[in-house]
Amino acid sequence: MSTLSADYLVVGAGAMGMAFTDVLLTESDATVVMIDRHHQPGGHWNDAYPFVRLHQPSAFYGVNSKHLGSDQIDATGWNKGLYELATNSEVCAYFDQVMQQQFLPTGRVRYFPMCEYTGEGAFRSLVADAEHEVEAAKVVDATYMNVTVPSMRPPPFPVDAAAHCAPLNALPKVAGEFDSYVVIGAGKTGMDACLFLLKNEVDPERIRWIMPRDSWMLDRANIQPGELFAQSIGRGFALQAEAIAAAESVDDLFARTEAAGQLLRLDPAIRPTMYRCATVTKAELEQLRRITGIIRLGRVQRIEAEEIVLDEGSIPTYARTLQVVCSADGLERRPVAPVFAGSSITLQAVRTCQQVFSAAFIGHVEASYSDE
């Protein structure tokens, strides 16, 4: 076992670990050892479905020292008139460039991909017979948010061998082999699966959407960066503050925020019970409303050859139906943990719906203040 030394051991080279490290390099003279299980930086983006895009403008993502995207406004499509949304491949390439062109050339970062943290400052290679120990002043947990995408785990319910079931990563390769689709999951991943099918001219009558809970959604038009949208985003923050000040309960808060034009819902007749920062345009919402086969019978318990069994009933399925699994905790509710605790730093959200900004902010606080 070799011994390394650094000021910080950062466990995880996903977006949060990269954003934290970027600020340390800019605002201090710290040295860093970074380890990650993936073959390149980017965390869960390496496992995401190929057609995924950022749900918020590219300018809101990435590290402080290198802009993501080119600040272009889309001229076509369902995001027309709003700032660009980086694709999966663009995000992965971006983080690799940050590592290769900015972090490593400083000589202050040593990066170990394809490695697993084993605790107590030690890690081992997943592909070679190598183990390392790091003598670091602080250990930074950049994996605490535990982002999971459907391809990272098997379906969370039994599936009969005769049924066709796959994560939405498989959709671009197999979509043409099936007559109909069942999308499982009510969050943004499920919305992306439905929009992918609709964009590729699948008849909405051939899509059923299992929705255990309806979700509140943010209108992407209200969260645009730059001078062009400065007045509207300022007005949006003011309206949210007014709703918070006047609300008498959580339900009342959401009702007031919706009335102020800051939240959307799929079905005006059904009150959502979930809020995970899902972001859409009104054009995308209009497309989603074309799907009338919404199944609100709770969660899937099992998929059989001819039947999908849910909490509150069952629906039929067929030999040429693909069940598209979109249920994964991309924004898991985590237990409360201190960000700073002696020699440990736990990266987590300290600003709503802005995990990467949160990691950069934590890095700034770490670099700027000497005591907890």
Side-chain angles (χ1 to χ4, degrees), residues 4-25 30-37 99 103 108-113 115-117 121-123 134-144 343-347 359 362-363 366:
L4 311 169
S5 62
D7 297 315
Y8 295 87
L9 169 60
V10 177
V11 181
M16 294 186 78
M18 295 289 285
F20 174 88
T21 301
D22 179 72
V23 171
L24 276 189
L25 294 176
T31 57
V32 179
V33 168
M34 294 189 77
I35 65 172
D36 193 89
R37 293 179 56 88
M99 178 63 75
F103 285 13
R108 294 157 54 198
V109 175
R110 281 173 288 182
Y111 168 53
F112 295 84
C115 286
E116 180 178 50
Y117 186 58
F123 65 95
V134 183
E135 294 178 350
K138 293 190 176 182
V139 176
V140 182
D141 184 0
T143 68
Y144 182 73
S343 61
S344 298
I345 299 175
T346 303
L347 301 186
I362 291 169
E366 171 65 14

Side-chain angles (χ1 to χ4, degrees), residues 49-249:
Y49 41 106
F51 55 90
V52 67
R53 287 180 177 266
L54 284 172
H55 302 148
Q56 297 180 6
S58 297
F60 288 166
Y61 213 71
V63 304
N64 281 349
S65 66
K66 181 179 176 65
H67 202 68
L68 173 59
S70 54
D71 281 341
Q72 295 294 311
I73 291 182
D74 286 343
T76 62
W78 296 331
N79 194 57
K80 182 178 178 179
L82 304 178
Y83 277 105
E84 63 187 324
L85 310 172
T87 65
N88 178 42
S89 57
E90 288 172 335
V91 173
C92 289
Y94 165 84
F95 282 119
D96 190 55
Q97 289 172 4
V98 170
M99 178 63 75
Q100 300 298 329
Q101 299 175 10
Q102 294 185 228
F103 285 13
L104 297 180
T106 66
R108 294 157 54 198
V109 175
R110 281 173 288 182
Y111 168 53
F112 295 84
M114 300 298 293
C115 286
E116 180 178 50
Y117 186 58
T118 56
E120 302 299 326
F123 65 95
R124 64 178 183 87
S125 171
L126 295 172
V127 295
D129 186 19
E131 296 184 1
H132 305 274
E133 185 177 47
V134 183
E135 294 178 350
K138 293 190 176 182
V139 176
V140 182
D141 184 0
T143 68
Y144 182 73
M145 294 303 291
N146 197 35
V147 176
T148 305
V149 296
S151 66
M152 295 170 63
R153 68 176 193 183
F157 41 74
V159 179
D160 189 283
H164 298 287
C165 185
L168 73 168
N169 295 58
L171 261 183
K173 295 182 179 180
V174 304
E177 301 174 13
F178 297 93
D179 295 333
S180 61
Y181 305 87
V182 176
V183 175
I184 302 171
K188 192 61 176 72
T189 304
M191 297 177 199
D192 280 353
C194 292
L195 290 170
F196 174 85
L197 294 170
L198 293 169
K199 181 180 179 181
N200 287 282
E201 300 185 336
V202 173
D203 188 330
E205 295 298 319
R206 294 168 55 196
I207 304 169
R208 288 177 291 168
W209 189 1
I210 293 178
M211 189 173 294
R213 297 183 294 169
D214 279 64
S215 175
W216 289 109
M217 293 170 272
L218 293 166
D219 184 346
R220 193 176 298 131
N222 292 334
I223 46 175
Q224 297 291 298
E227 294 182 4
L228 184 63
F229 295 92
Q231 185 173 359
S232 62
I233 198 170
R235 179 174 177 271
F237 279 127
L239 290 170
Q240 290 177 37
E242 290 174 4
I244 292 168
E248 298 180 355
S249 66

Side-chain angles (χ1 to χ4, degrees), residues 298-367:
R299 298 183 183 278
V300 173
Q301 292 299 311
R302 64 184 183 274
I303 298 178
E304 299 176 353
E306 299 180 352
E307 184 179 50
I308 301 175
V309 180
L310 300 103
D311 291 333
E312 301 170 20
S314 62
I315 60 173
T317 189
Y318 309 97
R320 290 183 57 81
T321 295
L322 177 65
Q323 279 72 218
V324 185
V325 180
C326 303
S327 56
D329 231 336
L331 191 58
E332 182 178 349
R333 293 182 66 179
R334 302 293 287 148
V336 174
V339 174
F340 302 99
S343 61
S344 298
I345 299 175
T346 303
L347 301 186
Q348 54 198 283
V350 296
R351 176 158 183 175
T352 304
C353 304
Q354 294 290 341
Q355 286 79 1
V356 184
F357 171 87
S358 295
F361 179 72
I362 291 169
H364 169 71
V365 172
E366 171 65 14

